[in-house]
Amino acid sequence: MSDPAELYAQLTTAFNQRAWRQARELAERLLPMASRHAGVFYMAGIASMELRDFPPAVECLRRATALEPKRADFAAHSAKVLARVGRNQEAKVAADRARTQASGDPATLDTLGVIYTQLRDYDSAATMFREAAALVPQHAPFRYNLATSLIAAGAIDAAEVELEACLTLEPSHWLSHLTLAQLRRQTPAHHQVSRLESL
């Protein structure tokens, strides 16, 4: 039998390298020895989700969250996989639970914004993306996600401000260029052509 500490180290390395198949295989070997270890269930669940094997992803992330209910990132990813499989009511409950614990964690706030977008709760999505962007204002993808949620909520002017902020941070952020070009009807007086040509 392999040493659990060594297996866990290998699992963590595979997980951090996004070697999902290897991570899941290592987690499956480790779980019989670590059936109360929320982190192992979490990594197994994420690996399964990335491999698009959703039933074990749902169960592993549910177990991780049950074992460590105060971990907002566990609850957020549990909500994410539930939304991916169309279990929207359960996803909303899990996202709302994670939301109460996620302040200060921009990655989890961003994940929650994505989930709320999938659930068509655009106001909650914008709130989550706004909080993530406030914590890391120099991170263009958070600002872009905020912009897309504002567009979905019909706040076009505010979305344009966020898209311009993205381009100030990353002048070649192509999704911001594309979204700006599609945001309003382009006219000879107001268009994106010269900026795109300069790239």
Side-chain angles (χ1 to χ4, degrees), residues 13-76:
T13 298
F15 184 85
N16 289 336
Q17 294 174 346
R18 303 175 65 85
W20 303 124
R21 196 164 302 285
Q22 181 186 8
R24 186 168 70 170
E25 289 168 3
L26 288 163
E28 287 171 351
R29 288 173 56 198
L30 188 56
L31 277 172
M33 298 175 255
S35 62
R36 305 278 309 156
H37 195 296
V40 177
F41 278 107
Y42 173 75
M43 288 187 275
I46 296 293
S48 294
M49 182 167 58
E50 292 292 336
L51 293 168
R52 304 184 61 77
D53 189 2
F54 295 118
V58 168
E59 179 59 19
C60 287
L61 289 167
R62 184 194 66 75
R63 291 284 299 276
T65 302
L67 287 166
E68 287 202 29
K70 293 185 178 178
R71 287 285 302 261
D73 53 340
F74 289 7

Side-chain angles (χ1 to χ4, degrees), residues 112-123:
L112 288 169
V114 171
I115 294 161
Y116 284 122
T117 299
Q118 291 171 338
L119 298 175
R120 294 185 170 88
D121 183 351
Y122 301 118
D123 290 336

Side-chain angles (χ1 to χ4, degrees), residues 159-182:
E160 188 168 25
V161 169
E162 291 302 323
L163 292 167
E164 291 293 351
C166 285
L167 293 174
T168 298
L169 294 167
E170 286 185 30
S172 62
H173 192 269
W174 70 270
L175 282 170
S176 293
H177 284 291
L178 175 64
T179 306
L180 268 175
Q182 296 173 334

Side-chain angles (χ1 to χ4, degrees), residues 113 116-117 121-132 145-146 149-150 153:
Y116 284 122
T117 299
D121 183 351
Y122 301 118
D123 290 336
S124 293
T127 299
M128 297 295 95
F129 291 137
R130 192 174 285 112
E131 289 181 25
N145 286 344
L146 173 56
S149 68
L150 291 168

Side-chain angles (χ1 to χ4, degrees), residues 84-103:
R84 293 272 293 273
V85 298
R87 291 164 61 175
N88 290 349
Q89 282 189 313
E90 294 170 82
K92 176 87 165 64
V93 169
D96 290 346
R97 183 172 54 245
R99 182 178 184 169
T100 65
Q101 302 162 337
S103 62

